[in-house]
Amino acid sequence: MKTYPAGDLTKEKIYEASKEIFFRDGYKKASMKEVSEKAGIKQSVFYYHYKNKSDLAKKLYSEFGTAHATAITEWIIQNKYSNDIIITNCICSALLIINSVTVPNIGRFWSEMYTDNLTADIPFHRHFHELIFKKRFSDFTEIDFEIFLIEAAAMNCALILSFMDGRLSIKQEELARFKIQNTLKELSFTKQERDEMVKEIIEIASQIPVVCGKNFEIRIGPKHVF
């Protein structure tokens, strides 16, 4: 069990309370007053620890994303599936979008964050995409990378929203496949290379039982059925 100094303990209480509120209400409707009440503090204390709702949501995105990617990466390493950083990150991305639409409350939260373009300045989001971008391109400008980040956020938002409101009447596997294909396309792989990599990514992802639950819980559950 973690221990914290008094100030850090309060900040952690706020964070833990936010997971329940964000899960229940989504990003847009979540009230920091309710988060403060849930954490048992005055609202003025909330703003001592976090600048605003966006600041808190970014922490949740980073904490969840890191834990989700770590669980998947550990499973990949243990089962000796692949040591390629692009393959591994695409598997994480595929399962993130599948887990998001499987738990609509999580999907709603992510899509609302993406809509507000919050992900571009989150360290986890930047680092996650920077790994594969630098692996693929040895010579690029900062503008190239920033555009790649924005396109990744926009694609996630559009896919999740379209799937959840019924505009995309496709299976989860097809949703993940389209996301991966687009990522690899932005990384300038040929169609043949993309097809081969997508097949490998989907096959591995289907074997990894990392799932999400209430209040952004990450756990080991049944394998995904594609």
Side-chain angles (χ1 to χ4, degrees):
M1 182 177 179
K2 293 182 179 179
T3 57
Y4 304 91
D8 291 342
L9 179 60
T10 299
K11 187 172 185 178
E12 189 65 16
K13 283 183 177 179
I14 295 170
Y15 171 67
E16 290 299 324
S18 76
K19 290 195 287 187
E20 181 177 331
I21 304 300
F22 278 132
F23 184 86
R24 187 192 70 196
D25 299 336
Y27 172 75
K28 290 183 178 179
K29 292 183 178 180
S31 162
M32 295 306 94
K33 179 180 178 181
E34 284 191 81
V35 171
S36 300
E37 291 175 350
K38 182 72 179 177
I41 62 168
K42 295 180 179 179
Q43 195 168 354
S44 59
V45 176
F46 170 91
Y47 290 107
Y48 175 80
H49 293 283
Y50 294 96
K51 294 178 182 178
N52 47 39
K53 178 165 66 173
S54 173
D55 191 32
L56 181 56
K58 290 175 184 178
K59 176 178 171 61
L60 175 54
Y61 181 96
S62 290
E63 295 277 340
F64 178 91
T66 299
H68 188 266
T70 297
I72 293 169
T73 302
E74 288 177 351
W75 194 270
I76 289 172
I77 293 173
Q78 289 171 3
N79 291 275
K80 301 179 180 179
Y81 285 134
S82 175
N83 60 1
D84 182 90
I85 191 65
I86 295 179
I87 295 292
T88 298
N89 278 25
C90 282
I91 292 169
C92 290
S93 184
L95 287 176
L96 179 60
I97 201 166
I98 287 174
N99 282 330
S100 294
V101 299
T102 300
V103 184
N105 289 45
I106 293 179
R108 175 181 58 180
F109 177 77
W110 295 147
S111 62
E112 289 176 353
M113 283 191 68
Y114 290 134
T115 299
D116 280 358
N117 202 25
L118 295 174
T119 57
D121 61 346
I122 297 178
F124 167 76
H125 178 79
R126 181 173 295 275
H127 177 68
F128 185 86
H129 288 86
E130 189 174 40
L131 288 174
I132 62 176
F133 201 77
K134 286 186 173 180
K135 169 74 184 294
R136 183 60 177 162
F137 304 112
S138 58
D139 183 25
F140 62 90
T141 68
E142 284 302 313
I143 295 298
D144 293 331
F145 180 57
E146 292 298 329
I147 293 299
F148 179 65
L149 279 179
I150 293 170
E151 289 176 339
M155 177 57 68
N156 285 346
C157 176
L159 285 177
I160 293 173
L161 283 175
S162 297
F163 185 89
M164 291 176 63
D165 67 16
R167 284 179 288 152
L168 278 180
S169 299
I170 58 178
K171 296 180 179 179
Q172 291 181 358
E173 177 190 346
E174 294 174 299
L175 186 71
R177 186 184 299 275
F178 189 84
K179 163 61 180 174
I180 297 165
Q181 287 173 336
N182 186 75
T183 298
L184 296 177
K185 183 179 180 181
E186 294 299 327
L187 293 173
S188 300
F189 285 103
T190 67
K191 184 180 184 306
Q192 182 176 348
E193 288 173 325
R194 289 201 305 271
D195 290 345
E196 292 174 356
M197 294 174 74
V198 168
K199 181 180 179 181
E200 178 180 0
I201 290 164
I202 293 297
E203 287 179 353
I204 296 174
S206 68
Q207 299 302 312
I208 301 177
V210 174
V211 298
C212 302
K214 186 177 180 180
N215 297 343
F216 303 92
E217 174 194 19
I218 297 171
R219 56 187 173 79
I220 302 300
K223 294 178 181 179
H224 293 275
V225 180
F226 292 164

